[in-house]
Structures are given as C-alpha cells and as structure tokens.
Amino acid sequence: MIGAWLVPSLVRYGTEEQKEKFLRPTLRGQMTWCQLFSEPGAGSDLASLSMKAERVEGGWKLTGQKIWTSMAQMAQWGFCIARTDPDAAKHDGITYFLVDMKAAGVDVRPLRELTGDALFNEVFLDAVFVPDEHVVGEVNKGWQVARNTLSNERVSLSTGGGLGMGVPELLKFFAGKELDAVATSEVGKLIAQGQSIDLLGLRTTLKQLNGVEPGAEASVRKLLGVQFNQDVADYCWASQARPPPPRSR
Ligand SMILES: Cc1cc2nc3c(=O)[nH]c(=O)nc-3n(C[C@H](O)[C@H](O)[C@H](O)COP(=O)(O)OP(=O)(O)OC[C@H]3O[C@@H](n4cnc5c(N)ncnc54)[C@H](O)[C@@H]3O)c2cc1C
C-alpha cells in the first residue's frame, strides 16, 4: 500500500535507472516501503522538518529522527525527505531520498499500542549513507516530489480497504441479510455516496495519466472518503445492535 504512493512520484520525477530498479518489484509487491516523512516537530507542518542531509563523496549522510512510520519494521526501503540546505526557505531546502532500511545507522524502534500491536515506529538515522543515484528529483526540490507522494496517499487512503470499510465490505456485511425499507434506503444511500467518492478518484487518476498533479480533488476525496469509511463502520455496528425487521407474511 505505501509503495503505491511512491510509484507515481517515481514515474514523474525518477531517473530511468530508478524506474528500472524500483517500479516493477514494488508493483509486484516484492519490494516493501515505508514513508519517512513525519518527525516529532514536523507533522501537519511537514516542511518544518529538521532531519539533515550532509553532502559527502558520492552521496549524502542523513541524520535525525522520524516518527509514526507505519510498517518500518517490515519495510526494505523507505522514501524520506531531509533538509539539504538549512539556509533556504523551509519549503526550498528539502531533498527526497530512497533509503535502504538495512543500511548502517538505521535504527527502527516499534511503538507499542494499547492493543498490544505495533504498527508505528520511531526511526532514527545516524549518518546513514544514501548514494546520489537514490535522490529523487532535483536536490533542494524534494518538497515538490513529497507533495506528489502525499496526493497519492490521500487518494489511496480515501478508498475502501485502505483504512476502514468501503462499499465492497458494506455489501459483504449485508449479503444474505433481510433489510426493511428504511435499511434498504440507508444502505443504498451509502452505496451511492461511496460510488460518487470513487468517481472523484477516477477523475484524479485521469488527471495523473494526463500529467497533471492530483490537486484539490485528492484532498476532497480524502476528506469525504475517510468520513465515508467511518460512516460505513458506524452503520454496520449500529445495525447489529438493532433487532431484525419483522418477517413479511
Ligand atoms: C494511521 C496513520 C498512519 C501514519 N503513518 C505515517 C507514516 O507511515 N509515515 C509518516 O511519515 N507519518 C505517518 N503518520 C503521521 C501523520 O502524517 C501525522 O500524524 C501528521 O503529519 C500529523 O502530525 P502530528 O501527529 O504531529 O499532529 P500535529 O501536526 O501536531 O497536529 C495536531 C492537531 O493540531 C492541528 N493543527 C496543526 N497545525 C494547525 C494549524 N496551523 N492550525 C490549526 N490546527 C492545526 C491538527 O489538525 C491536529 O488536529 C501516520 C498517521 C496516522 C494517523
């Protein structure tokens, strides 16, 4: 799932060598990824990130901390943004890197949740070497690439199955159950909403195929899609608590 957010960014900004090396195995699910964006002091205001990348022979050395990195403990690669020019305006001095999670200096520390599971991690980078060939886009222009990846993430997370229930899960949940007129109308309304949101996604995909950035539709879709996933889960939960409709004679 996370690798899928990177793929369109690599298609748009990556070198031919990067496309050759990363696209096919990522699309096949043979190469797993994590997103090294958020930091303790850089969440909603991501461009205030402070991980630093220092120029060395043949590449860069990355030092700093990332947080909330989903599935970092399983990922083979991470896409990461770090500050390459501390004197530039905050959106300008950032570069986009592909980091080998097995490289020396990468330390992944899982964050245990209330459930006992550990999805998120803290990831510490201590002078991790990233070769020049793993810089995506231009040096100091990584914010542009990151925005593209974030747009893909919004599209992906707003579809069912990403982070909650969508139309397929709704249909599966009610398959074979008897619905009264009210429930039929409510479920129908949810299906219509879900399909409208999916059409926003289709519009975004068509824009991307035409070389246009996903833009505002992706944000709108994320907002509506995540609320929709929540509404579907709430509705299924509430319908379980309701008594079944009286049988028609
Ligand atoms: C399920 C999940 C998976 C995630 N996986 C990853 C991952 O793999 N990699 C990764 O890099 N990150 C990941 N994140 C982190 C996520 O992107 C951050 O939570 C996000 O960047 C917000 O940062 P924060 O938690 O520091 O909140 P903050 O930025 O501190 O925001 C806290 C609250 O303040 C509000 N707020 C912030 N600024 C303003 C403002 N200027 N005006 C008004 N209100 C404001 C926000 O809306 C929010 O309600 C994940 C998050 C979730 C929920």
Side-chain angles (χ1 to χ4, degrees):
M1 184 173 98
I2 294 172
W5 311 338
L6 168 74
V7 165
S9 305
L10 272 188
V11 169
R12 179 141 190 192
Y13 297 99
T15 61
E16 287 312 309
E17 291 72 25
Q18 288 168 351
K19 291 178 196 172
E20 186 61 37
K21 180 169 178 178
F22 295 110
L23 288 183
R24 200 183 302 266
T26 301
L27 287 168
R28 285 189 170 147
Q30 293 161 336
M31 194 179 261
T32 52
W33 291 86
C34 63
Q35 183 190 52
L36 297 161
F37 280 9
S38 301
E39 296 183 7
S44 306
D45 184 14
L46 185 59
S48 63
L49 62 89
S50 60
M51 174 167 286
K52 66 173 183 215
E54 287 173 304
R55 196 85 183 95
V56 291
E57 177 77 31
W60 299 83
K61 279 208 166 156
L62 272 55
T63 302
Q65 184 195 347
K66 298 291 176 178
I67 196 167
W68 310 126
T69 320
S70 309
M71 293 183 271
Q73 67 275 57
M74 295 162 237
Q76 295 153 328
W77 288 86
F79 43 92
C80 178
I81 44 177
R83 193 158 296 288
T84 32
D85 182 355
D87 299 323
K90 73 176 179 182
H91 294 87
D92 292 338
I94 292 172
T95 302
Y96 195 109
F97 298 93
L98 304 178
V99 177
D100 181 349
M101 295 299 284
K102 293 274 177 299
V106 177
D107 180 14
V108 178
R109 300 184 198 165
L111 292 163
R112 191 70 52 197
E113 291 152 39
L114 193 64
T115 56
D117 292 341
L119 169 74
F120 303 109
N121 300 270
E122 292 177 300
V123 181
F124 295 83
L125 276 74
D126 183 10
V128 174
F129 177 71
V130 179
D132 282 326
E133 57 265 30
H134 291 165
V135 170
V136 183
E138 287 175 48
V139 170
N140 292 331
K141 295 270 188 284
W143 184 248
Q144 203 180 11
V145 188
R147 280 183 49 204
N148 180 284
T149 306
L150 289 167
S151 297
N152 305 327
E153 175 180 355
R154 283 184 206 117
V155 174
S156 165
L157 287 185
S158 56
T159 58
L163 270 188
M165 294 178 77
V167 172
E169 290 85 357
L170 180 72
L171 293 175
K172 200 166 151 204
F173 184 84
F174 284 105
K177 291 196 174 93
E178 202 173 332
L179 300 179
D180 61 19
V182 173
T184 304
S185 149
E186 287 167 346
V187 172
K189 191 174 159 196
L190 282 171
I191 292 170
Q193 276 176 355
Q195 297 210 333
S196 318
I197 295 165
D198 277 352
L199 286 174
L200 273 179
L202 182 61
R203 191 185 292 176
T204 306
T205 306
L206 291 174
K207 277 178 92 171
Q208 282 177 296
L209 286 173
N210 285 309
V212 182
E213 290 283 340
E217 282 97 337
S219 305
V220 172
R221 190 175 186 220
K222 165 89 188 287
L223 201 63
L224 296 177
V226 173
Q227 183 60 54
F228 173 72
N229 291 157
Q230 184 69 56
D231 290 346
V232 169
D234 285 347
Y235 187 76
C236 292
W237 178 256
S239 79
Q240 266 189 329
R242 268 203 301 266
R247 292 206 159 269
S248 50
R249 290 161 200 248

